[in-house]
Amino acid sequence: MIGYQDLLKGVIHVLQNTYPAIPIYGDEVTEGYKLPCFFTTILPIESETQTKNYISINLLIVISYFSDCKDSLKCLEVMSKLKQAFGICLSVEDRHFTIQDSMIEKVEKDVYQFSFRITYHELINFEPDNELITTIEHHIEGSNK
């Protein structure tokens, strides 16, 4: 099962590879951060039981860019490069999550956000409905076996 921590590590991996010199913070940091920087947030939007064994999970991932630059075009270039780095898929361990509804927006004076959704299924319970078949009988036509 993939946890939020694993997904966040995947997001941070892309950020570090794209902008290695820019620090990355979580929501718990409220002061003392250096500009420019990124803040990452994962927001669970919805989880829906699909069957007794599977659940569908919908998450919003938000990356905020706090800029030290007043040039909005340069900030948009940073965000555009970030969007390109994520592409259409977020890879986490051996899984690949399709990026949906990605968006770049300016949310405050010098704060820009790149956000996207991912939806995925998780196995929550595995109880086979039937007993496992242990013997397979073969009937070959024309044979007495």
Side-chain angles (χ1 to χ4, degrees):
M1 184 167 177
I2 282 285
Y4 297 141
Q5 188 84 8
D6 300 317
L7 291 165
L8 188 58
K9 285 178 185 176
V11 169
I12 289 170
H13 178 75
V14 174
L15 284 170
Q16 287 175 332
N17 284 343
T18 308
Y19 290 104
I22 298 178
I24 304 163
Y25 301 103
D27 284 342
E28 68 280 357
V29 177
T30 58
E31 56 186 50
Y33 51 87
K34 298 178 186 177
L35 297 178
C37 64
F38 293 112
F39 280 85
T40 58
T41 306
I42 294 181
L43 301 168
I45 297 173
E46 161 183 56
S47 64
E48 182 179 345
T49 303
Q50 299 294 308
T51 68
K52 72 178 188 174
N53 295 327
Y54 286 94
I55 190 167
S56 175
I57 299 170
N58 189 352
L59 300 175
L60 178 66
I61 297 174
V62 180
I63 301 166
S64 300
Y65 174 60
F66 285 62
S67 174
D68 62 348
C69 174
K70 303 297 181 204
D71 185 346
S72 61
L73 287 177
K74 285 186 181 179
C75 293
L76 288 172
E77 284 179 28
V78 168
M79 300 310 289
S80 183
K81 184 177 176 183
L82 195 59
K83 183 175 181 174
Q84 184 178 12
F86 276 92
I88 60 171
C89 175
L90 173 64
S91 296
V92 179
E93 296 177 5
D94 62 342
R95 294 185 66 179
H96 306 283
F97 302 93
T98 302
I99 291 177
Q100 305 164 343
D101 303 327
S102 65
M103 182 181 356
I104 295 172
E105 59 187 329
K106 184 175 183 177
V107 293
E108 287 183 30
K109 184 178 176 187
D110 296 320
V111 180
Y112 292 78
Q113 284 184 339
F114 170 55
S115 60
F116 57 90
R117 284 185 321 103
I118 58 171
T119 301
Y120 61 98
H121 296 83
E122 282 288 352
L123 181 65
I124 55 173
N125 184 28
F126 181 71
E127 292 181 18
D129 290 331
N130 301 316
E131 290 183 31
L132 293 175
I133 299 173
T134 56
T135 306
I136 300 175
E137 293 183 22
H138 292 281
H139 175 70
I140 300 173
E141 205 167 305
S143 169
N144 291 336
K145 294 184 180 180

